[in-house]
Coordinates of all heavy atoms in Angstrom, one line a residue:
M1 N 90.1 5.5 26.2 CA 89.0 4.5 26.8 C 87.8 4.4 26.1 O 87.1 3.3 26.0 CB 88.8 5.0 28.2 CG 88.0 4.0 29.0 SD 88.9 2.7 29.3 CE 87.7 1.8 30.3
K2 N 87.4 5.6 25.3 CA 86.2 5.7 24.6 C 86.2 4.6 23.4 O 85.2 4.0 23.2 CB 85.9 7.1 24.1 CG 84.6 7.3 23.5 CD 84.4 8.7 23.1 CE 83.1 8.9 22.4 NZ 82.8 10.2 22.0
N3 N 87.3 4.5 22.9 CA 87.5 3.6 21.6 C 87.2 2.2 22.2 O 86.6 1.4 21.5 CB 88.9 3.7 21.1 CG 89.0 5.1 20.3 OD1 87.9 5.7 19.9 ND2 90.1 5.4 20.2
V4 N 87.7 1.9 23.4 CA 87.5 0.6 23.9 C 86.2 0.1 24.1 O 85.7 -1.0 23.8 CB 88.4 0.4 25.3 CG1 88.2 -1.1 25.8 CG2 89.9 0.5 25.0
I5 N 85.4 1.0 24.6 CA 83.9 0.8 24.9 C 83.1 0.6 23.7 O 82.4 -0.2 23.5 CB 83.3 1.9 25.7 CG1 84.0 1.9 27.2 CG2 81.8 2.0 25.9 CD1 83.7 3.0 28.0
E6 N 83.5 1.5 22.6 CA 82.8 1.4 21.4 C 83.1 0.1 20.6 O 82.3 -0.5 19.9 CB 83.2 2.6 20.5 CG 82.5 3.9 20.9 CD 82.9 5.2 20.1 OE1 83.7 5.0 19.2 OE2 82.3 6.1 20.5
L7 N 84.4 -0.3 20.5 CA 84.8 -1.5 19.9 C 84.2 -2.7 20.6 O 84.0 -3.6 20.0 CB 86.3 -1.5 19.8 CG 87.0 -0.5 18.9 CD1 88.5 -0.6 19.0 CD2 86.5 -0.7 17.4
S8 N 84.3 -2.7 21.9 CA 83.7 -3.7 22.7 C 82.1 -3.9 22.5 O 81.6 -4.9 22.3 CB 83.9 -3.5 24.2 OG 85.1 -3.5 24.7
S9 N 81.5 -2.8 22.2 CA 80.1 -2.9 21.9 C 79.8 -3.5 20.4 O 78.9 -4.3 20.2 CB 79.5 -1.5 22.0 OG 79.9 -0.6 21.1
I10 N 80.8 -3.1 19.6 CA 80.7 -3.8 18.2 C 80.9 -5.3 18.3 O 80.2 -6.0 17.8 CB 81.7 -3.1 17.2 CG1 81.3 -1.7 16.9 CG2 81.8 -4.0 16.0 CD1 82.3 -1.0 16.1
I11 N 81.9 -5.6 19.0 CA 82.1 -7.2 19.2 C 80.9 -7.7 20.0 O 80.4 -8.9 19.6 CB 83.5 -7.4 20.0 CG1 84.5 -6.9 19.1 CG2 83.5 -8.8 20.5 CD1 85.9 -6.9 19.9
F12 N 80.3 -7.1 21.0 CA 79.1 -7.6 21.7 C 78.0 -7.8 20.7 O 77.3 -8.8 20.7 CB 78.9 -6.7 22.9 CG 77.7 -7.3 23.6 CD1 77.6 -8.3 24.4 CD2 76.3 -6.5 23.4 CE1 76.5 -8.7 25.1 CE2 75.3 -6.9 24.0 CZ 75.3 -8.1 24.9
I13 N 77.7 -6.8 19.9 CA 76.7 -6.9 18.9 C 76.9 -8.0 17.9 O 76.0 -8.7 17.6 CB 76.4 -5.5 18.2 CG1 75.9 -4.5 19.2 CG2 75.5 -5.5 17.0 CD1 75.9 -3.0 18.7
A14 N 78.1 -8.1 17.5 CA 78.5 -9.2 16.4 C 78.1 -10.6 17.1 O 77.5 -11.4 16.4 CB 79.8 -9.2 16.1
F15 N 78.5 -10.8 18.3 CA 78.2 -12.1 19.0 C 76.7 -12.3 19.3 O 76.3 -13.4 19.2 CB 79.1 -12.2 20.3 CG 80.4 -12.6 20.0 CD1 81.5 -11.8 20.3 CD2 80.8 -13.9 19.5 CE1 82.9 -12.2 20.0 CE2 82.1 -14.3 19.2 CZ 83.1 -13.5 19.5
L16 N 76.1 -11.2 19.6 CA 74.8 -11.3 19.8 C 73.9 -11.6 18.6 O 73.1 -12.4 18.6 CB 74.2 -10.0 20.5 CG 72.7 -9.9 20.7 CD1 72.5 -10.8 22.0 CD2 72.3 -8.4 21.1
L17 N 74.3 -11.1 17.5 CA 73.8 -11.4 16.2 C 74.1 -12.9 15.9 O 73.2 -13.5 15.2 CB 74.3 -10.4 15.1 CG 73.7 -9.0 15.3 CD1 74.3 -8.2 14.1 CD2 72.0 -9.1 14.9
V18 N 75.3 -13.2 16.0 CA 75.6 -14.7 15.7 C 74.7 -15.7 16.6 O 74.3 -16.7 16.1 CB 77.1 -15.1 16.0 CG1 77.4 -16.5 16.2 CG2 78.0 -14.3 15.1
F19 N 74.5 -15.3 17.8 CA 73.7 -16.1 18.7 C 72.1 -16.1 18.2 O 71.6 -17.1 18.1 CB 73.7 -15.6 20.1 CG 72.7 -16.3 21.0 CD1 73.1 -17.8 21.4 CD2 71.5 -15.8 21.5 CE1 72.2 -18.4 22.2 CE2 70.7 -16.4 22.4 CZ 71.0 -17.8 22.7
L20 N 71.7 -14.9 17.6 CA 70.4 -14.8 17.2 C 70.3 -15.7 15.9 O 69.3 -16.4 15.8 CB 70.1 -13.4 17.0 CG 68.7 -13.1 16.4 CD1 67.5 -13.3 17.4 CD2 68.6 -11.6 15.9
V21 N 71.1 -15.5 14.9 CA 71.0 -16.2 13.6 C 71.2 -17.8 14.0 O 70.5 -18.4 13.4 CB 72.1 -15.7 12.8 CG1 72.2 -16.7 11.5 CG2 71.8 -14.3 12.3
S22 N 72.0 -18.2 14.8 CA 72.1 -19.6 15.2 C 70.8 -20.1 15.9 O 70.3 -21.2 15.6 CB 73.2 -19.8 16.2 OG 74.5 -19.5 15.7
A23 N 70.1 -19.2 16.6 CA 68.8 -19.7 17.2 C 67.9 -19.8 16.1 O 67.1 -20.7 16.3 CB 68.4 -18.6 18.3
I24 N 67.8 -18.9 15.2 CA 66.8 -19.0 14.2 C 67.1 -20.3 13.2 O 66.1 -21.0 12.9 CB 67.0 -17.7 13.2 CG1 66.4 -16.5 14.0 CG2 66.1 -17.9 11.9 CD1 66.6 -15.1 13.2
I25 N 68.3 -20.6 12.9 CA 68.6 -21.6 12.1 C 68.2 -22.9 12.9 O 67.7 -23.8 12.3 CB 70.1 -21.6 11.8 CG1 70.5 -20.5 10.8 CG2 70.6 -23.0 11.2 CD1 72.0 -20.3 10.4
F26 N 68.7 -23.1 14.1 CA 68.4 -24.4 14.8 C 67.0 -24.5 15.4 O 66.7 -25.7 15.7 CB 69.5 -24.6 15.9 CG 70.8 -24.9 15.5 CD1 71.8 -23.9 15.6 CD2 71.2 -26.0 14.9 CE1 73.1 -24.1 15.2 CE2 72.4 -26.3 14.2 CZ 73.4 -25.3 14.5
T27 N 66.3 -23.5 15.5 CA 64.9 -23.7 16.0 C 63.8 -23.7 14.8 O 62.8 -24.2 14.9 CB 64.5 -22.7 17.0 OG1 64.6 -21.3 16.4 CG2 65.3 -22.7 18.2
I28 N 64.2 -23.0 13.8 CA 63.2 -22.8 12.7 C 63.7 -23.6 11.3 O 62.8 -24.4 10.8 CB 62.9 -21.4 12.3 CG1 62.3 -20.7 13.6 CG2 61.9 -21.2 11.2 CD1 62.2 -19.1 13.4
I29 N 64.9 -23.4 10.9 CA 65.2 -24.0 9.7 C 65.5 -25.4 9.7 O 65.1 -26.2 8.8 CB 66.4 -23.1 9.2 CG1 66.0 -21.7 8.9 CG2 66.9 -23.7 7.8 CD1 67.0 -20.7 8.5
V30 N 66.3 -25.9 10.8 CA 66.6 -27.2 10.8 C 65.5 -28.2 11.0 O 65.4 -29.3 10.3 CB 67.8 -27.4 11.9 CG1 68.0 -28.9 12.1 CG2 69.1 -26.7 11.4
P31 N 64.6 -27.9 11.9 CA 63.4 -28.8 12.0 C 62.4 -28.7 10.8 O 61.3 -29.3 11.0 CB 62.8 -28.6 13.4 CG 63.3 -27.2 13.8 CD 64.6 -26.9 13.0
L32 N 62.6 -28.0 9.8 CA 61.7 -27.8 8.7 C 61.3 -29.1 8.2 O 62.2 -29.9 7.8 CB 62.3 -26.9 7.7 CG 61.4 -26.3 6.5 CD1 60.2 -25.5 7.3 CD2 62.1 -25.6 5.6
E33 N 60.0 -29.4 8.2 CA 59.5 -30.7 7.6 C 59.4 -30.7 6.1 O 59.4 -29.6 5.6 CB 58.1 -31.0 8.3 CG 58.1 -31.2 9.7 CD 58.9 -32.6 10.2 OE1 58.9 -33.5 9.3 OE2 59.6 -32.5 11.3
N34 N 59.4 -31.9 5.5 CA 59.3 -32.0 4.2 C 57.9 -32.1 3.8 O 57.2 -33.1 4.0 CB 60.1 -33.3 3.7 CG 60.1 -33.4 2.1 OD1 59.6 -32.5 1.4 ND2 60.9 -34.4 1.7
P35 N 57.2 -31.1 3.1 CA 55.9 -31.2 2.8 C 55.6 -31.8 1.4 O 54.4 -32.0 0.9 CB 55.3 -29.6 2.6 CG 56.6 -29.0 2.3 CD 57.7 -29.7 2.9
F36 N 56.7 -32.1 0.7 CA 56.5 -32.7 -0.7 C 56.5 -34.3 -0.7 O 57.0 -34.8 0.3 CB 57.6 -32.1 -1.6 CG 57.6 -30.5 -1.7 CD1 58.7 -30.0 -1.0 CD2 56.6 -29.8 -2.0 CE1 58.8 -28.6 -1.1 CE2 56.7 -28.5 -2.1 CZ 57.7 -27.8 -1.5
T37 N 56.0 -34.7 -1.7 CA 56.0 -36.3 -1.8 C 56.8 -36.8 -3.1 O 56.7 -38.0 -3.3 CB 54.6 -36.8 -1.7 OG1 53.9 -36.3 -2.9 CG2 53.9 -36.5 -0.5
F38 N 57.3 -35.9 -3.8 CA 58.0 -36.4 -5.1 C 59.3 -36.9 -4.7 O 59.9 -36.8 -3.7 CB 58.0 -35.4 -6.2 CG 58.6 -34.0 -5.8 CD1 59.9 -33.8 -6.1 CD2 57.8 -32.9 -5.3 CE1 60.4 -32.6 -5.8 CE2 58.4 -31.8 -5.0 CZ 59.6 -31.5 -5.3
Q39 N 60.0 -37.5 -5.8 CA 61.3 -38.2 -5.6 C 62.4 -37.5 -5.0 O 63.1 -37.9 -4.1 CB 61.6 -38.9 -6.9 CG 62.7 -39.9 -6.8 CD 63.1 -40.5 -8.2 OE1 62.5 -40.2 -9.0 NE2 63.9 -41.5 -8.0
F40 N 62.5 -36.3 -5.4 CA 63.7 -35.5 -5.2 C 63.5 -34.4 -4.0 O 64.2 -33.4 -3.9 CB 64.5 -34.9 -6.3 CG 64.9 -35.9 -7.3 CD1 64.3 -36.1 -8.5 CD2 66.1 -36.7 -7.0 CE1 64.8 -37.1 -9.3 CE2 66.5 -37.7 -7.7 CZ 65.9 -37.9 -9.1
S41 N 62.4 -34.6 -3.3 CA 61.9 -33.6 -2.4 C 63.0 -33.3 -1.3 O 63.1 -32.2 -0.7 CB 60.6 -33.9 -1.8 OG 60.7 -35.1 -1.1
E42 N 63.6 -34.4 -0.8 CA 64.6 -34.2 0.3 C 65.7 -33.3 -0.2 O 66.2 -32.5 0.6 CB 65.1 -35.5 0.8 CG 64.1 -36.5 1.5 CD 63.8 -35.8 2.8 OE1 64.6 -35.1 3.5 OE2 62.6 -36.1 3.2
I43 N 66.2 -33.4 -1.4 CA 67.2 -32.7 -2.0 C 66.8 -31.2 -2.0 O 67.5 -30.2 -1.8 CB 67.7 -33.2 -3.3 CG1 68.4 -34.4 -3.1 CG2 68.7 -32.2 -4.0 CD1 68.6 -35.2 -4.5
L44 N 65.5 -30.9 -2.4 CA 65.0 -29.6 -2.6 C 64.9 -28.9 -1.1 O 65.2 -27.7 -1.0 CB 63.6 -29.8 -3.1 CG 62.8 -28.3 -3.3 CD1 63.5 -27.6 -4.4 CD2 61.6 -28.7 -3.7
I45 N 64.5 -29.8 -0.2 CA 64.5 -29.1 1.2 C 65.9 -28.8 1.7 O 66.0 -27.7 2.3 CB 63.7 -30.2 2.2 CG1 62.2 -30.2 1.8 CG2 63.9 -29.8 3.6 CD1 61.4 -29.0 1.9
V46 N 66.8 -29.7 1.5 CA 68.2 -29.2 1.9 C 68.8 -28.1 1.2 O 69.3 -27.2 1.9 CB 69.1 -30.6 1.6 CG1 70.6 -30.2 1.8 CG2 68.7 -31.7 2.5
I47 N 68.5 -28.1 -0.1 CA 68.9 -26.8 -0.8 C 68.2 -25.6 -0.4 O 68.8 -24.5 -0.1 CB 68.7 -27.0 -2.3 CG1 69.5 -28.0 -2.9 CG2 68.8 -25.5 -3.0 CD1 69.3 -28.4 -4.3
L48 N 66.9 -25.6 -0.1 CA 66.1 -24.6 0.6 C 66.7 -24.1 1.9 O 67.0 -23.0 2.2 CB 64.7 -24.8 0.8 CG 63.9 -23.8 1.4 CD1 63.5 -22.7 0.4 CD2 62.5 -24.4 1.8
K49 N 67.1 -25.1 2.8 CA 67.7 -24.9 4.1 C 69.1 -24.2 3.9 O 69.3 -23.3 4.7 CB 67.8 -26.1 5.0 CG 66.5 -26.7 5.4 CD 66.7 -27.8 6.2 CE 65.5 -28.5 6.7 NZ 65.7 -29.7 7.5
L50 N 69.7 -24.7 3.0 CA 71.1 -24.1 2.8 C 71.1 -22.6 2.2 O 71.7 -21.8 2.7 CB 71.8 -24.9 1.7 CG 73.2 -25.1 1.8 CD1 73.5 -26.6 1.8 CD2 74.0 -24.3 0.9
V51 N 70.1 -22.3 1.4 CA 70.0 -21.0 0.8 C 69.4 -20.1 1.9 O 70.0 -19.0 2.1 CB 68.9 -21.0 -0.4 CG1 68.5 -19.7 -0.8 CG2 69.6 -21.8 -1.6
V52 N 68.5 -20.4 2.9 CA 68.1 -19.6 3.7 C 69.1 -19.3 4.7 O 69.2 -18.3 5.2 CB 66.8 -20.1 4.4 CG1 66.5 -19.3 5.7 CG2 65.6 -20.2 3.5
S53 N 69.9 -20.4 5.2 CA 71.0 -20.2 6.2 C 72.0 -19.3 5.6 O 72.6 -18.4 6.4 CB 71.6 -21.6 6.5 OG 70.6 -22.3 7.1
F54 N 72.3 -19.5 4.4 CA 73.4 -18.6 3.7 C 72.8 -17.2 3.7 O 73.7 -16.2 3.8 CB 73.7 -19.1 2.3 CG 75.0 -18.3 1.7 CD1 76.1 -18.5 2.2 CD2 74.6 -17.5 0.6 CE1 77.2 -17.8 1.6 CE2 75.7 -16.9 -0.1 CZ 77.0 -17.0 0.5
G55 N 71.6 -16.9 3.4 CA 70.9 -15.6 3.3 C 71.1 -14.9 4.7 O 71.4 -13.7 4.7
L56 N 70.9 -15.7 5.7 CA 71.0 -15.2 7.1 C 72.4 -14.8 7.4 O 72.7 -13.8 8.0 CB 70.5 -16.1 8.1 CG 69.0 -16.3 8.2 CD1 68.6 -17.5 9.1 CD2 68.3 -15.0 8.8
F57 N 73.3 -15.6 6.9 CA 74.8 -15.2 7.1 C 75.1 -14.0 6.4 O 75.8 -13.2 6.9 CB 75.7 -16.4 6.6 CG 77.1 -16.1 6.4 CD1 77.9 -15.9 7.6 CD2 77.7 -15.9 5.2 CE1 79.2 -15.6 7.5 CE2 79.0 -15.6 5.1 CZ 79.7 -15.4 6.2
L58 N 74.6 -13.8 5.1 CA 75.0 -12.6 4.4 C 74.3 -11.4 5.0 O 74.9 -10.3 5.0 CB 74.3 -12.8 3.0 CG 75.2 -13.7 2.1 CD1 74.5 -13.8 0.8 CD2 76.6 -13.3 2.0
I59 N 73.1 -11.5 5.6 CA 72.6 -10.3 6.3 C 73.4 -10.0 7.6 O 73.6 -8.9 7.8 CB 71.1 -10.7 6.8 CG1 70.2 -10.8 5.5 CG2 70.5 -9.8 7.8 CD1 68.9 -11.4 5.9
W60 N 73.9 -11.0 8.3 CA 74.8 -10.7 9.4 C 75.9 -10.1 8.9 O 76.5 -9.1 9.6 CB 75.1 -12.1 10.1 CG 76.2 -12.0 11.2 CD1 75.8 -11.6 12.5 CD2 77.5 -12.1 11.1 NE1 77.0 -11.6 13.3 CE2 78.1 -11.9 12.4 CE3 78.5 -12.5 10.2 CZ2 79.4 -12.1 12.6 CZ3 79.7 -12.6 10.5 CH2 80.3 -12.4 11.7
V61 N 76.6 -10.4 8.0 CA 77.8 -9.7 7.3 C 77.6 -8.3 7.0 O 78.2 -7.5 7.3 CB 78.5 -10.6 6.2 CG1 79.5 -9.8 5.5 CG2 79.0 -11.9 6.7
F62 N 76.4 -8.2 6.3 CA 76.0 -6.8 5.9 C 75.7 -5.9 7.1 O 76.2 -4.7 7.2 CB 74.7 -6.9 5.1 CG 74.1 -5.5 4.6 CD1 74.9 -4.9 3.6 CD2 73.1 -4.9 5.2 CE1 74.3 -3.7 3.2 CE2 72.6 -3.7 4.8 CZ 73.3 -3.0 3.7
I63 N 75.1 -6.4 8.2 CA 74.9 -5.6 9.3 C 76.3 -5.2 10.0 O 76.5 -4.1 10.4 CB 73.9 -6.3 10.3 CG1 72.5 -6.4 9.8 CG2 73.9 -5.6 11.6 CD1 71.6 -7.2 10.5
I64 N 77.1 -6.2 10.1 CA 78.3 -6.0 10.8 C 79.2 -4.9 10.0 O 79.8 -4.0 10.5 CB 79.3 -7.2 11.0 CG1 78.5 -8.1 12.0 CG2 80.6 -7.0 11.5 CD1 78.1 -7.4 13.3
Q65 N 79.2 -5.1 8.8 CA 79.8 -4.1 7.8 C 79.4 -2.7 8.0 O 80.1 -1.8 8.1 CB 79.7 -4.5 6.3 CG 80.6 -3.7 5.4 CD 79.8 -3.5 4.1 OE1 78.6 -3.9 3.9 NE2 80.4 -2.7 3.3
K66 N 78.1 -2.6 8.0 CA 77.5 -1.1 8.2 C 77.8 -0.6 9.5 O 78.1 0.6 9.6 CB 75.9 -1.3 8.0 CG 75.4 -1.5 6.7 CD 75.8 -0.3 5.8 CE 75.3 -0.4 4.5 NZ 75.9 0.6 3.5
I67 N 77.8 -1.5 10.6 CA 78.2 -1.0 11.9 C 79.7 -0.5 11.9 O 80.0 0.6 12.5 CB 78.0 -2.0 13.1 CG1 76.5 -2.3 13.2 CG2 78.6 -1.6 14.3 CD1 76.2 -3.5 14.0
I68 N 80.6 -1.3 11.3 CA 82.0 -0.9 11.3 C 82.2 0.4 10.5 O 83.0 1.1 10.8 CB 82.8 -2.2 10.9 CG1 82.8 -3.2 11.9 CG2 84.3 -1.7 10.6 CD1 83.4 -4.5 11.5
T69 N 81.5 0.4 9.2 CA 81.6 1.5 8.5 C 81.1 2.8 9.1 O 81.8 3.9 9.1 CB 80.9 1.3 7.1 OG1 81.3 0.2 6.5 CG2 81.0 2.5 6.2
R70 N 80.1 2.7 9.8 CA 79.5 3.8 10.5 C 80.5 4.3 11.7 O 80.8 5.5 11.9 CB 78.2 3.6 11.2 CG 77.6 4.8 12.0 CD 76.3 4.5 12.5 NE 75.3 4.3 11.3 CZ 74.3 3.5 11.5 NH1 73.9 3.1 12.6 NH2 73.4 3.5 10.4
Y71 N 81.2 3.5 12.4 CA 82.1 3.7 13.4 C 83.2 4.2 12.8 O 83.8 5.4 13.2 CB 82.5 2.3 14.1 CG 83.7 2.6 15.0 CD1 83.7 3.1 16.3 CD2 85.0 2.2 14.7 CE1 84.7 3.4 17.1 CE2 86.0 2.2 15.4 CZ 85.9 2.8 16.6 OH 87.0 3.0 17.4
L72 N 83.9 3.8 11.7 CA 85.1 4.4 11.1 C 84.7 5.8 10.5 O 85.7 6.7 10.6 CB 85.5 3.4 9.9 CG 86.2 2.1 10.4 CD1 86.5 1.3 9.2 CD2 87.3 2.4 11.3
K73 N 83.5 6.0 9.9 CA 83.2 7.4 9.4 C 83.1 8.3 10.5 O 83.7 9.4 10.4 CB 81.9 7.3 8.6 CG 82.1 6.8 7.3 CD 80.7 6.9 6.6 CE 80.8 6.3 5.2 NZ 79.5 6.2 4.5
K74 N 82.6 7.9 11.6 CA 82.4 8.8 12.8 C 83.9 9.1 13.4 O 84.1 10.3 13.7 CB 81.7 8.1 13.8 CG 81.4 9.0 15.2 CD 80.5 8.2 16.0 CE 81.1 8.0 17.4 NZ 80.3 7.5 18.4
K75 N 84.8 8.2 13.4 CA 86.2 8.3 13.9 C 87.0 9.3 12.9 O 87.7 10.1 13.3 CB 86.8 7.0 14.2 CG 86.4 6.3 15.3 CD 86.6 7.2 16.6 CE 86.1 6.6 17.8 NZ 86.0 7.5 18.9
L76 N 86.8 9.1 11.6 CA 87.6 9.9 10.6 C 86.9 11.3 10.6 O 87.8 12.2 10.3 CB 87.5 9.2 9.3 CG 88.3 8.0 9.0 CD1 88.0 7.3 7.7 CD2 89.7 8.2 9.3
N77 N 85.6 11.5 10.8 CA 85.2 13.0 10.8 C 85.6 13.7 12.0 O 85.5 14.9 12.0 CB 83.6 12.8 10.6 CG 83.2 12.5 9.2 OD1 84.1 12.5 8.4 ND2 81.9 12.0 9.2
S78 N 85.9 13.0 13.1 CA 86.1 13.7 14.4 C 87.7 13.9 14.6 O 88.4 13.6 13.7 CB 85.6 13.1 15.6 OG 86.2 11.7 15.7

């Protein structure tokens, strides 16, 4: 039963982080205005949004990987 609670908490944290990252993307990154006036500024803003969103995704993957690795090390040591 203890494993079920720990695994459920990992799944809950993963979904909570997905919700948090989605909230950041849709409230801050998507409505980002274009401060530039040159010809290819829209492309630059889209690339910037894409890079920031991908960075947030990689941070999410890294956090989940660390949580799972810590859980597995704890289970293997006991």
Side-chain angles (χ1 to χ4, degrees):
M1 187 67 178
K2 186 178 178 185
N3 290 340
V4 172
I5 294 172
E6 290 177 353
L7 292 173
S8 298
S9 66
I10 290 173
I11 293 170
F12 177 74
I13 290 170
F15 280 114
L16 187 66
L17 287 172
V18 166
F19 179 73
L20 180 67
V21 168
S22 298
I24 291 170
I25 288 173
F26 288 114
T27 58
I28 297 172
I29 296 171
V30 170
L32 189 64
E33 294 293 326
N34 187 359
F36 306 112
T37 57
F38 56 91
Q39 187 176 8
F40 298 108
S41 62
E42 290 295 326
I43 295 172
L44 181 67
I45 291 298
V46 169
I47 291 172
L48 178 71
K49 289 178 181 183
L50 217 134
V51 167
V52 171
S53 298
F54 186 69
L56 287 171
F57 168 73
L58 288 179
I59 290 170
W60 176 80
V61 168
F62 180 73
I63 291 171
I64 296 301
Q65 181 219 0
K66 287 295 181 186
I67 290 171
I68 292 172
T69 303
R70 182 177 294 160
Y71 170 75
L72 291 175
K73 282 183 181 178
K74 186 174 121 179
K75 286 298 171 189
L76 290 175
N77 288 339
S78 61

